[in-house]
Amino acid sequence: MSLLKEKVAIVPDQPGCYLMKNKHGTVIYVGKAKVLRNRVRSYFRAAHDIKTQRLVSEIEDFEWIVTSSDMEALILERTLIRKYKPRYNILLKDDKSYPYLKITNERHPRLITTRKIKKDGAKYFGPYPNAYAANETKKLLDRLYPLRKCETMPNRVCLYYHIGQCLAPCEFEVTKNENQKIAGEISRFLNGEHKDIKQEITEKMHQAAENLEFERAKELRDQVQHIETVMEKQKMALSDLTDKDIFGCAYDKGWMCVQVFFIRQGNLIERDVSLFPMYQDAEDDFYTFIGQFYLNDQHKKPKEILVPSSVDEKIVSEFLGTKALQPKRGQKKSLVDLACKNARLALKEKFALIERDEQKTVIAVERLGEALQIDTPHRIEAFDNSNIQGVDPVSAMVSFLDGKPDKNHYRKYKIKTVKGPDDYESMREVVRRRYTRLLREEQPLPDLIVIDGGKGQISAAQSVIEDELGLSIPVCGLVKDEKHRTSQLMKGDPPAVVHLSKTSQEFYLLQRIQDEVHRFAISFHRNTRKKTMFSSILDEVSGIGEKRKRALLKHFGSLKRLKEASVEEIQNAGIPEPAALALYERIQKEKETS
């Protein structure tokens, strides 16, 4: 790790891509950054959630490629992901391909269904939600328009000619103009003009009836009925018939969900749902996703793409080479909002599934007590420390009641008495503060204390519980493996391994507890560090006290955004012009020296 940190120092502060490698030299992750040095450094400095820790634990080396712009980095990232297929990147499988209708680019074109889009000069229409919908539409068009049907030209006419569904170019001369006219009519139909075509056929039907051509009128009537039967199944979603994909996204707890609505001929025909872990900023991960989504024409790019307000439409448009919009009102805005709502619900469902089976959770708690040889631990409290080389040390505690998070009893602690990175003393302090207070306030004690750590942390907590406070609360610890995954349960004095099956419900419960306390501690540490960094600059600026610090933090949300702000934008946070100007100059001075 020390060698990697030294290497970070020579990474350029320019846009580009970085490639993380494991001990075998295999590329396991590709990322992009506006400033390579800052992004790469963040992997080896900042605290991370569990899944990012797993990535970092495998990194043995890295390399980078500088680009001349952010857009070049975005395009290069897509190319590198396609080349290396890193397992930590978003890799969309083509397991949800949709059927299309295709007018082939041949002397005598055919109308066929296909799931593969090629750059072969053919015309593609779709996607359709399933093969049935595509085949029903094709059958209708076969009845209406007599294009060639056979894949290879036969020596004589076939049945399709006799039933009026083919002009039989195998035996009769069919001009290029005739083929183009029929293909044009099919294109009209599939591009949303089926109502006009239906009206034209209806008029011909009435004319045939007036001319006493009853057989012809019956054929035309059947065609009208076929159009009504097939097209009635597709309800209109938009009056605008432009083909478009509508993107909505949501993210929470290190996961992102992107939902795509396919609008074809004004119809909402299908949606695509993708859930994946995040390793970058949410906006960057969205751009990576959308690049993968249209990679290798896995999905055909429509004429228009609608994106939510959290996404830069100009970047999407330039990246994909197609029109991207960020609707502000009306039906299009409603559909983007609906896609985002579905994404939020999908994430909620994912997290709910983890805790859905009440009975399994209850059994897990009971079996955990049996494994530890204690009474059933109905209330479990878990602790984890978080700091970066002793800076802004914090600790957090989560509470689980009957195997479920009891968030009303979560607690955060800023370490007060410990100087430097001393994990054992930090654990003693927070355990002492927690249970001294419970005793003083005569609050109920937990049935089990879980420590995120090994023998040293367990012994530190036990010494406070038993020797200082005279309590008999069981204490156990959760040890991670080299990949930062829950590996072992330990208990006793001295601590010894308690064997649990890694596929058991009780082990899964401990994993959830460890992940939750780690997440809670990391988020608290990040917020604490952000406020500290925020204050460090603001303390040096005359005219900005605690009240204005809070106003700036609330307005900008992060030091990064504050550093990018103009004097006018700082004033918009409620800061008077002299103080805003002084702060702006202080920020510029820091940029010059950094």
Side-chain angles (χ1 to χ4, degrees), residues 59-266:
I59 299 173
E60 293 290 330
D61 193 12
F62 63 85
E63 60 183 72
W64 62 87
I65 302 172
V66 172
T67 61
S68 58
S69 69
D70 298 343
M71 183 55 60
E72 277 189 18
L74 193 58
I75 294 169
L76 177 60
E77 181 196 40
R78 181 171 61 176
T79 302
L80 293 173
I81 290 173
R82 178 170 52 188
K83 178 180 179 180
Y84 293 107
K85 297 180 174 58
R87 62 189 180 88
Y88 280 103
N89 279 100
I90 303 165
L91 294 175
L92 299 179
K93 308 292 185 182
D94 193 10
D95 56 358
K96 292 185 283 189
S97 60
Y98 298 100
Y100 289 78
L101 289 180
K102 172 182 178 180
I103 300 176
T104 62
N105 181 26
E106 301 173 273
R107 180 184 173 191
H108 298 290
R110 294 173 295 137
L111 178 67
I112 62 174
T113 58
T114 182
R115 290 181 183 268
K116 293 183 178 179
I117 300 174
K118 301 177 181 178
K119 295 179 180 179
D120 54 3
K123 294 181 180 179
Y124 292 86
F125 304 89
Y128 288 84
N130 50 56
Y132 177 79
N135 289 330
E136 284 297 295
T137 306
K138 181 181 179 300
K139 286 179 185 178
L140 169 61
L141 293 170
D142 285 341
R143 294 188 185 104
L144 297 176
Y145 304 110
L147 275 186
R148 164 190 156 206
K149 299 294 184 294
C150 301
E151 185 173 353
T152 56
M153 297 276 275
N155 297 322
R156 60 177 183 269
V157 297
C158 63
L159 178 62
Y160 287 112
Y161 171 76
H162 294 294
I163 63 175
Q165 292 188 18
C166 181
L167 296 178
C170 55
E171 190 164 327
F172 306 107
E173 178 65 26
V174 180
T175 67
K176 183 177 181 180
N177 286 340
E178 286 180 283
N179 280 326
Q180 287 180 340
K181 183 179 178 181
I182 295 173
E185 287 297 303
I186 293 175
S187 296
R188 276 185 65 205
F189 189 100
L190 293 174
N191 281 326
E193 296 185 36
H194 58 272
K195 288 187 176 180
D196 294 338
I197 292 171
K198 174 188 165 186
Q199 182 59 36
E200 291 168 7
I201 296 174
T202 302
E203 291 173 1
K204 290 178 182 179
M205 178 187 71
H206 293 315
Q207 186 63 49
E210 287 180 13
N211 296 338
L212 304 181
E213 299 172 355
F214 299 117
E215 285 296 321
R216 176 61 176 159
K218 181 178 180 298
E219 290 175 7
L220 294 169
R221 183 202 65 189
D222 290 345
Q223 289 181 3
V224 170
Q225 290 177 346
H226 287 314
I227 293 174
E228 290 175 344
T229 300
V230 174
M231 302 313 293
E232 176 63 22
K233 296 174 184 176
Q234 302 180 23
K235 299 296 184 183
M236 295 296 291
L238 288 172
S239 55
D240 174 8
L241 299 182
T242 304
D243 286 355
K244 54 180 65 66
D245 288 348
I246 297 175
F247 284 81
C249 67
Y251 57 93
D252 189 19
K253 300 177 184 176
W255 282 81
M256 176 175 280
C257 177
V258 178
Q259 299 236 356
V260 188
F261 290 165
F262 298 113
I263 305 289
R264 297 297 182 267
Q265 303 171 39

Side-chain angles (χ1 to χ4, degrees), residues 367-374 377 448 474-476 489-491 498:
R367 288 181 178 172
L368 178 60
E370 293 170 4
L372 293 170
Q373 297 181 339
I374 62 174
L448 176 65
V475 177
C476 67
L489 172 65
M490 301 190 79
K491 179 180 177 288
V498 177

Side-chain angles (χ1 to χ4, degrees), residues 183-381:
E185 287 297 303
I186 293 175
S187 296
R188 276 185 65 205
F189 189 100
L190 293 174
N191 281 326
E193 296 185 36
H194 58 272
K195 288 187 176 180
D196 294 338
I197 292 171
K198 174 188 165 186
Q199 182 59 36
E200 291 168 7
I201 296 174
T202 302
E203 291 173 1
K204 290 178 182 179
M205 178 187 71
H206 293 315
Q207 186 63 49
E210 287 180 13
N211 296 338
L212 304 181
E213 299 172 355
F214 299 117
E215 285 296 321
R216 176 61 176 159
K218 181 178 180 298
E219 290 175 7
L220 294 169
R221 183 202 65 189
D222 290 345
Q223 289 181 3
V224 170
Q225 290 177 346
H226 287 314
I227 293 174
E228 290 175 344
T229 300
V230 174
M231 302 313 293
E232 176 63 22
K233 296 174 184 176
Q234 302 180 23
K235 299 296 184 183
M236 295 296 291
L238 288 172
S239 55
D240 174 8
L241 299 182
T242 304
D243 286 355
K244 54 180 65 66
D245 288 348
I246 297 175
F247 284 81
C249 67
Y251 57 93
D252 189 19
K253 300 177 184 176
W255 282 81
M256 176 175 280
C257 177
V258 178
Q259 299 236 356
V260 188
F261 290 165
F262 298 113
I263 305 289
R264 297 297 182 267
Q265 303 171 39
N267 300 306
L268 175 56
I269 64 163
E270 185 58 288
R271 72 167 179 168
D272 183 281
V273 183
S274 298
L275 289 114
F276 48 88
M278 296 165 56
Y279 295 101
Q280 306 180 93
D281 295 337
E283 191 174 357
D284 286 340
D285 269 330
F286 179 84
Y287 296 142
T288 298
F289 169 86
I290 205 169
Q292 293 289 298
F293 191 77
Y294 293 110
L295 188 64
N296 291 332
D297 293 317
Q298 178 175 322
H299 296 90
K300 183 185 176 185
K301 280 186 285 190
K303 292 182 180 179
E304 192 173 281
I305 290 173
L306 306 184
V307 296
S309 58
S310 58
V311 176
D312 191 327
E313 61 195 276
K314 294 180 180 177
I315 291 179
V316 174
S317 183
E318 185 178 352
F319 183 34
L320 297 179
T322 193
K323 184 179 180 182
L325 299 173
Q326 199 181 75
K328 305 299 183 186
R329 63 183 67 85
Q331 198 174 18
K332 291 181 179 180
K333 173 68 162 55
S334 297
L335 282 171
V336 172
D337 290 345
L338 183 61
C340 290
K341 179 180 179 180
N342 276 273
R344 289 192 296 272
L345 290 172
L347 276 181
K348 185 177 180 181
E349 180 183 354
K350 174 182 174 59
F351 299 137
L353 285 173
I354 298 173
E355 302 167 16
R356 65 178 177 171
D357 197 325
E358 180 77 25
Q359 187 60 35
K360 286 182 179 178
T361 303
V362 171
I363 292 174
V365 174
E366 292 174 351
R367 288 181 178 172
L368 178 60
E370 293 170 4
L372 293 170
Q373 297 181 339
I374 62 174
D375 293 337
T376 300
H378 295 288
R379 180 172 293 281
I380 300 173
E381 294 187 347

Side-chain angles (χ1 to χ4, degrees), residues 471-486:
L471 299 173
S472 57
I473 306 172
V475 177
C476 67
L478 295 174
V479 183
K480 298 186 181 79
D481 61 17
E482 67 279 1
K483 295 183 179 179
H484 288 272
R485 294 178 300 203
T486 305

Side-chain angles (χ1 to χ4, degrees), residues 551-573:
L552 286 165
L553 183 59
K554 182 178 180 180
H555 185 80
F556 290 103
S558 70
L559 184 61
K560 178 184 175 183
R561 290 183 178 176
L562 175 60
K563 286 182 175 181
E564 295 169 351
S566 64
V567 176
E568 291 76 15
E569 288 170 330
I570 295 173
Q571 284 183 262
N572 290 338

